[in-house]
């Protein structure tokens, strides 16, 4: 594929489809949404509005960091505090699909629907890629950004049309486009991070306390493995607990799983054989997190496992 031609075609497609209307998008700071943000601004200029939705599910300091990074690129990003809405809708939910549906509904029907109404926007640009569509249609797991492919008409349901300029690309293709667009390496080489964010890395109910635990574990894993050259690495908080010992007393504590994989496009993946020194270091740091007394390393390839747990 000629990626320069792809860029020109998508800018023309966005410009022609939106016409003189206003379009919006949500930016997470990942490569997919970042590419869509740049394409939208090049196509529409000031008629394209970008927002970062603080859903309480992001990594430590992520909202402010992403807003600053794009401000340095000359792109204003509005920061929307929607923490209460997302945590409220996730309360009590443990089923993976119910959690994903709650996040989808909160994002589209509540948070973004209000933004669209306030701006009078008619279009929402999405960072949907081909792998998202394939996994959802195949019934492996529903990706939060899939609508039309499931028979959902966003214009009828939410009041706006959804455009998906990246839907023919896989992750490696999106990275190529990002490099041509001269996005910073912190974006082009950033490891994948799911749209539902840390909610996909908590097995069971998503609460503020459990988010604090997985947020701290995520920071440790990313610090320890950022030089591994792996495709993706992450921490997962299990729903089960295990008996342990802390300060010579019995503790019924959390279990955190570390996952580190190699892949090209996330369709298949193999576990990275980390050194014992690295595994011991990860275990030592993670079990110092309050309430965590077990750290496991996941050796399962994809398939039979998916990359994420939820």
């Amino acid at each position: 594929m000629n990626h320069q031609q792809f860029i020109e075609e998508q800018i023309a497609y966005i410009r022609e489809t939106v016409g003189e209307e206003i379009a919006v998008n949500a930016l997470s700071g990942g490569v997919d949404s970042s590419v869509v943000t740049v394409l939208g601004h090049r196509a529409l200029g000031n008629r394209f509005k970008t927002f970062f939705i603080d859903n309480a599910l992001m990594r430590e300091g992520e909202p402010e960091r992403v807003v600053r990074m794009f401000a340095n690129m000359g792109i204003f990003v509005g920061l929307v505090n929607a923490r209460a809405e997302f945590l409220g809708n996730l309360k009590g939910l443990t089923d993976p699909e119910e959690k994903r549906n709650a996040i989808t509904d909160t994002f589209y029907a509540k948070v973004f629907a209000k933004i669209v109404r306030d701006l009078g926007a008619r279009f929402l640009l999405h960072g949907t890629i081909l792998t998202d569509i394939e996994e959802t249609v195949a019934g492996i797991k529903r990706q939060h950004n899939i609508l039309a492919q499931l028979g959902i008409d966003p214009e009828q349901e939410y009041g706006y049309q959804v455009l998906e300029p990246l839907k023919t690309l896989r992750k490696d293709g999106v990275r190529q486009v990002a490099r041509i667009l001269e996005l910073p390496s912190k974006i082009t080489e950033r490891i994948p991070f799911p749209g539902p964010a840390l909610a996909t890395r908590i097995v069971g109910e998503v609460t503020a306390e459990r988010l604090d635990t997985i947020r701290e574990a995520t920071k440790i894993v990313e610090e320890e493995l950022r030089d591994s050259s792996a495709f993706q690495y992450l921490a997962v908080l299990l729903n089960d607990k295990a008996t342990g010992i802390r300060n010579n007393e019995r503790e019924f504590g959390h279990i955190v799983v570390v996952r580190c994989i190699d892949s090209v496009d996330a369709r298949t993946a193999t576990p990275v054989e980390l050194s014992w020194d690295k595994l011991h270091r990860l275990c030592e740091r993670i079990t110092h997190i309050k309430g965590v007394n077990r750290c496991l390393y996941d050796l399962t390839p994809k398939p039979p496992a998916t990359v994420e747990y939820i």
Side-chain angles (χ1 to χ4, degrees):
M1 173 185 289
N2 184 323
H3 290 99
Q4 181 61 52
Q5 182 179 347
F6 173 86
I7 291 169
E8 294 168 3
E9 289 174 352
Q10 294 310 311
I11 289 175
Y13 160 69
I14 294 167
R15 189 175 290 149
E16 180 179 350
T17 306
V18 175
E20 297 303 313
E21 300 287 345
I22 294 172
V24 297
N25 81 310
L27 172 67
S28 69
V31 66
D32 302 336
S33 66
S34 295
V35 166
V36 168
T37 297
V38 174
L39 291 176
H41 278 274
R42 291 194 181 181
L44 303 173
N46 290 333
R47 288 185 294 108
F48 188 61
K49 312 296 183 182
T50 296
F51 298 89
F52 188 105
I53 308 300
D54 184 357
N55 54 15
L57 309 175
M58 305 304 291
R59 288 175 281 202
E60 184 178 332
E62 188 95 359
E64 296 78 12
R65 185 187 66 80
V66 172
V67 169
R68 283 196 306 270
M69 185 171 12
F70 275 79
N72 291 336
M73 295 163 54
I75 296 176
F76 172 79
V77 178
L79 182 57
V80 178
N81 185 342
R83 299 169 69 90
E85 289 92 332
F86 279 89
L87 288 177
N89 280 3
L90 285 165
K91 187 176 182 179
L93 301 182
T94 58
D95 179 80
E97 287 306 301
E98 288 183 359
K99 287 160 63 175
R100 284 179 172 271
N101 288 342
I103 290 169
T104 298
D105 182 66
T106 305
F107 179 86
Y108 291 105
K110 296 180 180 179
V111 177
F112 238 86
K114 182 179 186 305
I115 291 172
V116 167
R117 286 195 304 271
D118 291 347
L119 288 173
R122 291 277 311 280
F123 298 89
L124 171 64
L125 269 63
H126 249 313
T128 312
I129 66 172
L130 185 56
T131 307
D132 295 334
I133 296 171
E134 289 177 336
E135 289 196 341
T136 300
V137 172
I140 296 170
K141 61 179 178 181
R142 175 178 173 175
Q143 300 291 347
H144 78 291
N145 52 3
I146 302 300
L147 298 171
Q149 293 83 0
L150 291 177
I152 299 172
D153 183 342
E155 189 163 22
Q156 182 176 335
E157 292 288 333
Y158 309 125
Y160 48 80
Q161 295 182 45
V162 173
L163 307 184
E164 300 170 317
L166 307 182
K167 66 182 179 181
T168 61
L169 299 182
R170 300 193 189 279
K171 187 67 71 176
D172 52 334
V174 180
R175 292 194 196 281
Q176 288 291 343
V177 170
R179 294 180 189 113
I180 293 172
L181 290 172
E182 298 184 340
L183 287 168
S185 61
K186 286 184 178 180
I187 294 174
T188 62
E189 310 310 316
R190 189 190 191 205
I191 60 171
F193 192 67
L198 296 178
T200 66
R201 296 173 182 176
I202 294 177
V203 180
E205 186 179 6
V206 177
T207 66
E209 181 182 10
R210 302 190 83 206
L211 280 164
D212 287 342
T213 299
I214 196 60
R215 192 174 284 115
E216 191 170 351
T218 297
K219 181 181 179 181
I220 291 169
V221 168
E222 293 186 353
E223 286 175 354
E224 292 291 338
L225 299 181
R226 66 164 53 106
D227 296 328
S228 66
S229 300
F231 176 82
Q232 192 169 356
Y233 33 88
L234 55 122
V236 179
L237 178 62
L238 298 186
N239 202 29
D240 292 328
K241 289 189 174 183
T243 301
I245 302 169
R246 181 101 52 189
N247 300 323
N248 294 319
E249 295 182 357
R250 180 182 184 272
E251 177 186 65
F252 200 47
H254 295 297
I255 306 169
V256 170
V257 177
V258 176
R259 186 148 169 75
C260 181
I261 59 165
D262 274 332
S263 181
V264 173
D265 52 23
R267 283 186 293 174
T268 61
T270 55
V272 176
E273 296 185 13
L274 298 176
S275 70
W276 275 111
D277 285 346
K278 180 60 71 175
L279 289 171
H280 280 298
R281 174 68 176 160
L282 282 163
C283 183
E284 179 184 17
R285 292 189 65 188
I286 287 172
T287 53
H288 272 85
I289 298 172
K290 181 181 178 182
V292 177
N293 63 17
R294 297 287 174 108
C295 178
L296 314 178
Y297 188 59
D298 187 341
L299 288 172
T300 318
K302 178 183 180 180
T306 53
V307 173
E308 303 286 351
Y309 273 52
I310 298 298

